[in-house]
Amino acid sequence: MERPKYIAIRIWFVSLLLTFSSAVAMGQTTYREPIYLAYIQGDMSRWEAIIRLMEERSDDITDEERKELVGYYYGYIGFLLGTDQKDKAQGYITKGEKHLNALLKSAPNDVTALAYKGSFIGFRIGTNKFKALTLGNESISYINRAYKLDSQNVQAILDKGNLLYHMPGIFGGDKKEAVRLYEKAVLRMEKHQNLKQNWLYLNVLTTIARHYEEEKQWQKAVQVYEKILQQEPEFSWVKDTLYPAAKRIAAKNKK
């Protein structure tokens, strides 16, 4: 007999499939909302289920839908690498690169696709550090090219920031400059994007807050977490874990 948890997941998956099928038939896209809910609830099994639904029609999608799917791969691969699921991450890296190659074949100077391409090569390094020697320059080249083509493109800004944040200082890494770029991306999103149900916006703010924690700047971290919760009060990771801990340490350091 199936356990209640798996029955519930199956029911949810079927209902989601029906919702998406209806939306596609009416020319609507509904992936943004369920991805966002999966993100703020910390439910990556749902995130993966949504990816699978998109993959079912990936042979007949527009370039914008293809970029959307790549963006969901991008977020999910980051989660997999962060939880040391390297083999699984490699499978999604391969899928993402297939879509990126198709995008760049039709539009070689697509800035968002170029930035993603650099990051996906970087993800491959994340699955095997020994690949840094052979793939590092290629990853840097794609990201720098994207940023040079359009330094106001949010994805190019973020991937340039990620590159500088994670690269060792001896090779040109610069965490302060990376955070400046993250903050630039936040301003661009606030000015030019719809922030409602925007998981990436919350993700970038959280990255900035966690950098402040790393630097022991607890009050700054608290301020960013409060900004996040103003935007999304139900972001469980921040609400239940990160914000209370940072606020407690900030208060203790004031004494």
Side-chain angles (χ1 to χ4, degrees):
M1 183 177 291
E2 292 180 292
R3 287 186 290 174
K5 176 182 177 181
Y6 295 106
I7 294 174
I9 290 174
R10 177 177 292 183
I11 292 171
W12 173 83
F13 188 88
V14 171
S15 65
L16 188 63
L17 179 60
L18 291 173
T19 300
F20 282 1
S21 298
S22 299
V24 169
M26 295 185 291
Q28 300 172 353
T29 58
T30 60
Y31 303 112
R32 182 185 179 106
E33 181 178 0
I35 279 285
Y36 179 78
L37 291 175
Y39 179 74
I40 66 169
Q41 294 167 5
D43 190 345
M44 298 310 288
S45 63
R46 289 193 176 196
W47 187 293
E48 185 180 25
I50 294 161
I51 286 175
R52 292 205 306 270
L53 288 171
M54 293 188 74
E55 287 175 341
E56 288 183 1
R57 54 184 298 267
S58 63
D59 291 334
D60 184 30
I61 59 176
T62 66
D63 283 352
E64 285 307 307
E65 289 171 328
R66 197 183 293 277
K67 283 184 192 176
E68 183 182 3
L69 176 56
V70 168
Y72 297 156
Y73 285 143
Y74 179 88
Y76 192 57
I77 292 165
F79 162 75
L80 292 173
L81 292 177
T83 53
D84 202 29
Q85 299 181 63
K86 293 180 181 179
D87 289 342
K88 191 171 185 179
Q90 184 59 60
Y92 282 106
I93 293 167
T94 300
K95 290 179 179 181
E97 287 187 321
K98 179 181 176 182
H99 289 290
L100 286 169
N101 291 339
L103 285 167
L104 290 171
K105 184 177 181 180
S106 61
N109 290 323
D110 186 307
V111 173
T112 299
L114 286 169
Y116 274 139
K117 179 71 174 179
S119 284
F120 273 68
I121 295 170
F123 286 149
R124 279 200 269 154
I125 297 171
T127 66
N128 184 344
K129 299 299 183 184
F130 293 108
K131 293 180 179 180
L133 293 174
T134 56
L135 297 178
N137 286 337
E138 187 179 2
S139 174
I140 293 168
S141 177
Y142 273 105
I143 291 171
N144 284 343
R145 181 181 168 196
Y147 192 76
K148 186 175 181 179
L149 284 170
D150 185 358
S151 63
Q152 303 305 309
N153 177 282
V154 168
Q155 196 61 49
I157 297 168
L158 289 176
D159 288 324
K160 178 77 170 179
N162 288 334
L163 176 65
L164 293 175
Y165 198 90
H166 296 289
M167 183 186 295
I170 193 172
F171 296 117
D174 185 339
K175 288 190 175 183
K176 287 185 178 180
E177 177 61 14
V179 172
R180 187 192 71 78
L181 288 168
Y182 293 149
E183 291 170 342
K184 177 181 177 180
V186 166
L187 291 175
R188 294 293 297 173
M189 284 189 273
E190 289 174 345
K191 187 173 182 180
H192 297 287
Q193 292 187 6
N194 178 9
L195 299 182
K196 183 179 180 182
Q197 298 180 338
N198 189 328
W199 73 270
L200 188 58
Y201 176 67
L202 299 182
N203 184 264
V204 179
L205 286 174
T206 304
T207 299
I208 293 170
R210 300 203 76 196
H211 168 75
Y212 286 139
E213 289 185 357
E214 189 177 295
E215 296 295 312
K216 310 300 182 187
Q217 298 182 56
W218 297 102
Q219 194 55 50
K220 284 189 174 182
V222 166
Q223 290 171 357
V224 178
Y225 287 137
E226 288 175 345
K227 178 175 181 176
I228 291 169
L229 292 174
Q230 286 176 358
Q231 177 68 27
E232 179 47 75
E234 297 306 316
F235 186 5
S236 61
W237 189 30
V238 172
K239 181 184 71 171
D240 299 332
T241 304
L242 297 178
Y243 176 57
K247 190 175 181 181
R248 186 166 53 252
I249 296 171
K252 183 179 179 181
N253 288 345
K254 272 188 174 182
K255 294 178 180 178

